[in-house]
């Protein structure tokens, strides 16, 4: 299943690098996108990951803090067992696989026609019984 969020890049976190159990090197970068899709229009934050050196390099070349972007992503959860305590923990991540410049930066406010109170109180003589 894939999802999409549109918002402004609020922060780009430091690159993280490491070596897997299979002795393969990996690199990932996280970034935070915000928009006003939260409860009652409040700010909502999303922290995405870009995984792989090619994708991380491409992200850093084309995106920066302040850019409005559309992010296509998938949600994944990994299970991890602590080798000492045998406690099982779950980690959920938002994996970005497509990051594009958003076509619009902000949703325009709706335009309303203004009517004075005097105009509202005019007697229309519309033959209503009340």
């Amino acid at each position: 299943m894939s999802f999409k969020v549109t918002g402004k890049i609020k922060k780009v976190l430091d690159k993280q690098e490491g070596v897997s159990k299979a002795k393969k090197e990996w690199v990932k970068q996280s970034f935070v996108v915000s928009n006003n899709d939260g409860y009652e229009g409040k700010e909502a934050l999303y922290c995405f990951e870009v995984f792989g050196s090619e994708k991380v390099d491409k992200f850093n070349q084309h995106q920066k803090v302040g850019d409005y972007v559309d992010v296509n992503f998938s949600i994944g959860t990994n299970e991890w067992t602590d080798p000492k305590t045998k406690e099982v923990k779950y980690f959920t991540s938002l994996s970005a696989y497509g990051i594009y410049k958003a076509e619009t930066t902000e949703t325009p406010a709706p335009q309303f026609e203004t009517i004075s109170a005097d105009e509202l109180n005019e007697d229309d003589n519309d033959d209503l019984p009340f």
Side-chain angles (χ1 to χ4, degrees):
M1 186 182 287
S2 64
F3 301 91
K4 179 180 174 183
V5 165
T6 300
K8 182 179 180 180
I9 297 178
K10 186 170 184 168
K11 187 172 188 175
V12 176
L13 305 174
D14 293 335
K15 269 195 284 189
Q16 296 178 332
E17 301 178 58
V19 179
S20 69
K21 290 180 183 177
K23 307 291 186 219
K24 293 185 179 184
E25 293 183 8
W26 57 266
V27 61
K28 76 174 182 176
Q29 179 130 33
S30 297
F31 63 99
V32 178
V33 172
S34 68
N35 62 25
N36 291 329
D37 289 347
Y39 180 68
E40 293 184 344
K42 296 206 185 321
E43 181 181 44
L45 297 174
Y46 305 88
C47 186
F48 298 101
E49 293 180 347
V50 178
F51 197 84
S53 61
E54 185 177 315
K55 291 179 183 177
V56 169
D57 290 343
K58 188 174 181 180
F59 172 80
N60 287 314
Q61 288 174 1
H62 298 287
Q63 313 300 340
K64 64 182 182 309
V65 172
D67 287 351
Y68 284 87
V69 293
D70 291 324
V71 181
N72 295 326
F73 65 98
S74 59
I75 301 173
T77 300
N78 293 322
E79 182 179 89
W80 177 75
T81 304
D82 186 323
K84 294 179 183 175
T85 64
K86 304 297 183 206
E87 180 183 7
V88 178
K89 294 185 179 185
Y90 297 91
F91 299 92
T92 301
S93 62
L94 306 179
S95 300
Y97 61 82
I99 307 161
Y100 310 98
K101 300 282 186 197
E103 290 185 21
T104 59
T105 57
E106 294 180 18
T107 304
Q111 299 296 317
F112 298 102
E113 179 182 351
T114 57
I115 300 173
S116 71
D118 291 336
E119 291 175 312
L120 289 173
N121 293 326
E122 284 182 1
D123 188 14
D124 290 344
N125 294 327
D126 58 0
D127 297 330
L128 290 176
F130 49 90

